[in-house]
Amino acid sequence: MSTTSPDPMPQPMRVRANLVNGATEVRVLMTHIMETGQRHDANGQIIPAHYITEVQAHHVSAQGRSRLVLQAQWSTAIAQNPFLFFKFKGGAPGDKVVLQWVDNQGARRTDEAPIR
Amino acid sequence: MKTARRSVLKATGLTGMLAALGLSVRQPAFAQSPATQGTGRTAGFAAQTLGDALKHVGGGATITRVDSSQIQLQAPELAENGALVPLSVNSLIPGTTQITLLIEKNPFPLIATFTFPEGTEPSVQTRVKMAQSSQVLAVVKTTQGNESRLYVTTKETRVTLGGCGA
């Protein structure tokens, strides 16, 4: 999976937020190479680390009030195309969950999903 | 007019880029944290031994070992592909605010820290890379008032094909 071409733009996350028994279950699939910085390319050069360093999730109510529901700090050892599942109490249809990540090269991505 | 410009922006991908820069409509600001402020992440991520990593996680405080009745750590007994090992942690300890994952024999044992604000269940699932067969550790931090406590549980996972790269 090595590449020497310029990094593409941050790809969208797939976010699903479902209300189950009074709690919102959130599933996220991110697209990111999560390069460890330990692999070598065909010329023996180290492929630089490129990985999501921080993730945040906010629950935004239908009225627009936002609260942080998850924060994570990651290393290169989170698998490529990271998967994340977590849940928080509350949430209602019409609300949304907003996911954000930033990587070690300064790229960012924000995606959201309605709570169903 | 607006529509034409919007369709041009969409075509060139600028909309996506603006969104990625956080300039879209009324998105919550990325909450301030050392990582986003660039003042340095937890030094534990640079630790190359489990002992050092745990020192950073715990700040030197005692970490109490507990079993699955307190922290439910699910890790496969055998992982065919070390590049994609599913892990699940659910803390049953009241007052849990943080879960940290470590893999003993990874080149950098500190894998991830998840922080749970009030109202979020102290529970997370993700997938990690394991370099080789190793202990997987879940450290739970509880905060009650001013007091923080640390607990850990471990599981052994065997890996047939290591996942950190050649």
Side-chain angles (χ1 to χ4, degrees):
Chain A
M1 271 249 61
S2 74
T3 173
T4 51
S5 56
D7 292 318
M9 276 172 25
Q11 297 300 300
M13 300 181 247
R14 279 186 20 178
V15 185
R16 302 281 180 269
N18 296 298
L19 203 48
V20 179
N21 295 330
T24 300
E25 297 188 352
V26 184
R27 286 169 176 79
V28 188
L29 188 60
M30 304 173 190
T31 299
H32 200 287
I33 195 161
M34 298 301 285
E35 190 65 68
T36 61
Q38 302 191 342
R39 297 196 310 142
H40 299 84
D41 64 16
N43 299 323
Q45 307 286 355
I46 281 273
I47 302 164
H50 186 197
Y51 63 105
I52 292 170
T53 52
E54 185 158 348
V55 178
Q56 293 194 359
H58 285 82
H59 165 214
V60 183
S61 71
Q63 295 76 34
R65 256 196 327 275
S66 166
R67 66 179 175 117
L68 183 71
V69 288
L70 183 78
Q71 181 170 67
Q73 287 197 22
W74 284 357
S75 74
T76 58
I78 295 291
Q80 188 171 97
N81 296 335
F83 171 74
L84 181 61
F85 171 82
F86 63 97
K87 43 188 176 169
F88 59 88
K89 295 200 207 20
D95 295 358
K96 60 185 185 178
V97 178
V98 180
L99 265 294
Q100 297 171 306
W101 61 249
V102 62
D103 74 18
N104 70 318
Q105 294 184 7
R108 296 172 164 265
R109 184 72 219 180
T110 300
D111 292 285
E112 60 182 60
I115 297 179
R116 297 195 194 281
Chain B
M1 217 34 165
K2 218 187 253 185
T3 328
R5 195 172 62 125
R6 198 165 290 161
S7 59
V8 168
L9 282 175
K10 272 208 170 116
T12 56
L14 269 180
T15 311
M17 200 157 70
L18 288 171
L21 291 171
L23 296 179
S24 52
V25 191
R26 282 206 293 119
Q27 296 290 11
F30 209 97
Q32 291 302 306
S33 74
T36 53
Q37 289 171 333
T39 56
R41 312 200 308 138
T42 318
F45 282 109
Q48 296 186 44
T49 66
L50 180 62
D52 283 346
L54 283 169
K55 259 188 257 165
H56 282 101
V57 170
T62 319
I63 309 180
T64 307
R65 203 184 178 113
V66 296
D67 65 19
S68 59
S69 65
Q70 308 251 53
I71 304 173
Q72 293 168 333
L73 166 59
Q74 286 180 340
E77 280 204 19
L78 174 63
E80 295 279 330
N81 178 9
L84 203 61
V85 182
L87 295 183
S88 164
V89 186
N90 180 38
S91 171
L92 300 170
I93 308 174
T96 297
T97 53
Q98 208 171 74
I99 292 176
T100 299
L101 294 173
L102 301 108
I103 295 168
E104 180 200 4
K105 293 194 182 147
N106 267 23
F108 298 94
L110 180 54
I111 305 307
T113 299
F114 297 89
T115 302
F116 307 96
E118 181 91 37
T120 302
E121 303 209 6
S123 173
V124 68
Q125 292 177 27
T126 189
R127 305 184 301 210
V128 301
K129 300 179 184 98
M130 285 186 67
Q132 56 178 294
S133 301
S134 173
Q135 292 287 333
V136 175
L137 296 84
V139 173
V140 158
K141 178 175 174 180
T142 64
T143 306
Q144 313 262 30
N146 285 337
E147 229 190 275
S148 277
R149 293 226 175 99
L150 297 156
Y151 305 87
V152 64
T153 196
T154 69
K155 227 179 187 113
E156 170 90 36
T157 293
R158 281 198 307 122
V159 173
T160 42
L161 193 65
C164 277

